[in-house]
Amino acid sequence: MDKEHEMRKDLSAHNRRNYMSWMRKGILAECILVLVLALAAAGKGGEPADGKSITTNTLSVENNYIKWVDFTVSYEALCKAYEWDVQSHGSEHEIDWVELLAYTAARTGGNFGKDALKTMEKAAEKLSKGECTMEELTKDLKYYTYYNEAYDAAIGGLVGEYKEESTDGSGQVTYEERYGLKGYFPLARGFDYTHYDDFGVGRSYGYQRKHLGHDMMGLVGTPIMAIESGVVEALGWNQYGGWRIGIRSFDGKRYYYYAHLRQNYPYAEGLAEGSVVTAGDVIGYMGHTGYSTKENVNNIEITHLHWGLQLIFDESQKEGNNEIWIDVYPLTRFLAKHTQAAVKVEGTKEWVRTNRIVDPAVDEYEAQAPGEVRTPVREDSLKRDELPEKQPETSESSES
């Protein structure tokens, strides 16, 4: 990564440090006051006088774009909304899972407990029978539009149509039409891992801050998979994340951050800034690099993948104090519904996916941006060998 980008990252860290100081000095109290006033205005049924700012306990909208999102959708809610979407696809009354979740959040204030699931279920049943439309259900819900935009930014690219590679009895490879979850779990199928909800836990390296991602502990060399198709926007060393990858969704709303990759061999062969990757591609390998200004150093005690999801509603939010990172622990559990196996390329450290998909989003992007680099897939490596349950640690797992 070039020095200019690193300077921006260091400046971002400095800004966040200042921000924490300001919060401790009383800015938090002021924010609460603003929140109370906004909710009071909402309770009177009135919009803000300038029409530019709306705040709830989950969303903050200012200057015509969302400034903050607490993504509080539970694993159970994700599963239930997804089931309704898939079951109703192709029927007369299709249900969009993002809209269903947004409706539920607008009804419950972003709470996704048992009562919220009942609210969602009742609405989905009415929608599926054609007893009402989503427009009718949401016409009096003040914050539905904002929840819908926020949730679409968080999960809007994960469900849709795609084609999946299939091999028949004669060995003929074909591609079958699919509809459903086309986003993938971030680790290759069959590799052991542990995780828990660690979003917001304190971190102290460099400065006091909160953990704005999700850690998945595993073995050095575990293949890391692209969660969603997109463009590699960042690649290289960062003193906090070590060897890391940043992939931007085609709509620009999601920035996937994968950090602490393997020492000496962090990335999939051919990966570069500007590469277009398809969901489920191997993009790198788990390690424990980082916490060092010197490149290629293992200063992280526990081998793990840190992955984070940043939401971007305006390009000014990409770096600095306005960054929006959401808790992806429930989403990680949900993505476990769709895993991709990988096989090792004989004689190398490289792993590749076992079967490909055709994502229409990739084709659409490439049609609009011809000449973009694709991550190479080695034809001779696409074997159907049995994937080992574990990958032995190598000498690269030792501390430097």
Side-chain angles (χ1 to χ4, degrees):
M1 180 54 70
D2 58 41
K3 292 183 178 180
E4 181 182 355
H5 184 85
E6 293 302 330
M7 289 175 65
R8 290 201 303 269
K9 279 294 183 183
D10 290 341
L11 179 59
S12 176
H14 175 73
N15 289 338
R16 284 193 294 269
R17 195 158 55 241
N18 286 339
Y19 176 74
M20 294 298 291
S21 176
W22 296 335
M23 291 289 281
R24 286 193 295 268
K25 291 179 180 178
I27 295 298
L28 179 59
E30 182 179 345
C31 291
I32 293 173
L33 177 60
V34 171
L35 174 60
V36 170
L37 291 174
L39 290 176
K44 296 176 182 179
E47 297 289 347
D50 59 7
K52 294 182 179 179
S53 178
I54 291 182
T55 304
T56 74
N57 64 320
T58 305
L59 303 177
S60 174
V61 182
E62 188 175 331
N63 297 330
N64 298 320
Y65 64 87
I66 294 175
K67 300 295 287 291
W68 184 253
V69 178
D70 285 331
F71 189 72
T72 56
V73 182
S74 67
Y75 165 74
E76 292 78 12
L78 288 168
C79 292
K80 183 59 65 177
Y82 172 69
E83 289 172 7
W84 277 109
D85 188 309
V86 174
Q87 290 173 9
S88 66
H89 180 69
S91 70
E92 183 180 357
H93 306 291
E94 292 189 341
I95 297 175
D96 182 293
W97 76 314
V98 174
E99 293 179 355
L100 185 58
L101 289 168
Y103 161 79
T104 306
R107 283 285 308 275
T108 66
N111 184 305
F112 280 91
K114 292 182 178 179
D115 289 341
L117 294 179
K118 293 178 182 177
T119 297
M120 179 192 296
E121 193 73 13
K122 289 179 181 179
E125 289 176 355
K126 290 182 179 180
L127 291 167
S128 66
K129 296 175 182 177
E131 296 177 359
C132 62
T133 65
M134 184 59 73
E135 290 74 17
E136 292 170 340
L137 281 178
T138 60
K139 65 179 181 179
D140 295 324
L141 293 178
K142 183 183 294 290
Y143 299 118
Y144 168 75
T145 301
Y146 302 100
Y147 279 106
N148 192 37
E149 183 179 352
Y151 290 179
D152 183 65
I155 60 175
L158 298 179
V159 172
E161 295 179 346
Y162 63 99
K163 296 179 181 179
E164 185 173 29
E165 184 182 42
S166 178
T167 305
D168 61 24
S170 63
Q172 183 72 26
V173 176
T174 60
Y175 283 86
E176 298 181 359
E177 299 281 350
R178 298 275 190 269
Y179 178 84
L181 186 56
K182 63 177 183 177
Y184 282 87
F185 190 66
L187 305 182
R189 184 188 307 155
F191 285 80
D192 288 344
Y193 68 93
T194 59
H195 70 150
Y196 60 93
D197 194 350
D198 55 347
F199 187 81
V201 175
R203 293 289 187 269
S204 60
Y205 174 79
Y207 62 98
Q208 293 292 332
R209 66 195 189 282
K210 292 183 177 180
H211 186 228
L212 299 178
H214 181 60
D215 289 345
M216 304 182 71
M217 283 62 74
L219 298 175
V220 169
T222 297
I224 307 303
M225 322 303 278
I227 295 169
E228 182 183 350
S229 302
V231 181
V232 177
E233 194 171 85
L235 193 76
W237 182 265
N238 176 279
Q239 73 173 89
Y240 300 98
W243 293 121
R244 86 281 191 248
I245 303 169
I247 297 178
R248 191 79 167 264
S249 62
F250 295 128
D251 62 10
K253 297 178 182 179
R254 290 168 296 286
Y255 179 74
Y256 294 90
Y257 182 72
Y258 309 82
H260 308 311
L261 304 184
R262 183 171 61 183
Q263 186 184 53
N264 298 327
Y265 202 87
Y267 309 123
E269 182 180 349
L271 198 71
E273 288 186 22
S275 293
V276 175
V277 298
T278 298
D281 282 350
V282 176
I283 56 174
Y285 303 95
M286 187 183 293
H288 52 118
T289 60
Y291 283 16
S292 173
T293 56
K294 182 180 178 181
E295 287 190 1
N296 203 32
V297 172
N298 283 331
N299 260 355
I300 303 294
E301 293 183 5
I302 299 175
T303 299
H304 70 278
L305 167 70
H306 166 108
W307 87 269
L309 179 54
Q310 182 185 6
L311 306 186
I312 303 167
F313 300 93
D314 184 88
E315 206 58 31
S316 65
Q317 298 173 303
K318 184 61 173 65
E319 306 280 354
N321 292 335
N322 292 325
E323 295 177 8
I324 301 175
W325 297 88
I326 63 173
D327 186 351
V328 294
Y329 175 68
L331 183 57
T332 304
R333 293 179 61 198
F334 174 73
L335 289 169
K337 292 176 175 291
H338 198 202
T339 60
Q340 172 63 60
V343 291
K344 202 168 191 299
V345 180
E346 187 175 352
T348 75
K349 297 179 180 180
E350 195 74 6
W351 290 72
V352 294
R353 66 189 303 160
T354 56
N355 69 311
R356 304 183 226 178
I357 68 167
V358 175
D359 185 350
V362 174
D363 294 338
E364 182 179 342
Y365 177 82
E366 291 188 328
Q368 296 174 353
E372 292 289 342
V373 180
R374 288 291 301 275
T375 303
V377 178
R378 296 174 56 158
E379 296 291 340
D380 61 349
S381 66
L382 295 175
K383 302 175 182 178
R384 302 302 189 268
D385 299 337
E386 182 179 355
L387 182 68
E389 292 186 0
K390 294 184 179 181
Q391 180 185 1
E393 291 200 32
T394 68
S395 59
E396 293 172 342
S397 67
S398 62
E399 295 290 336
S400 295

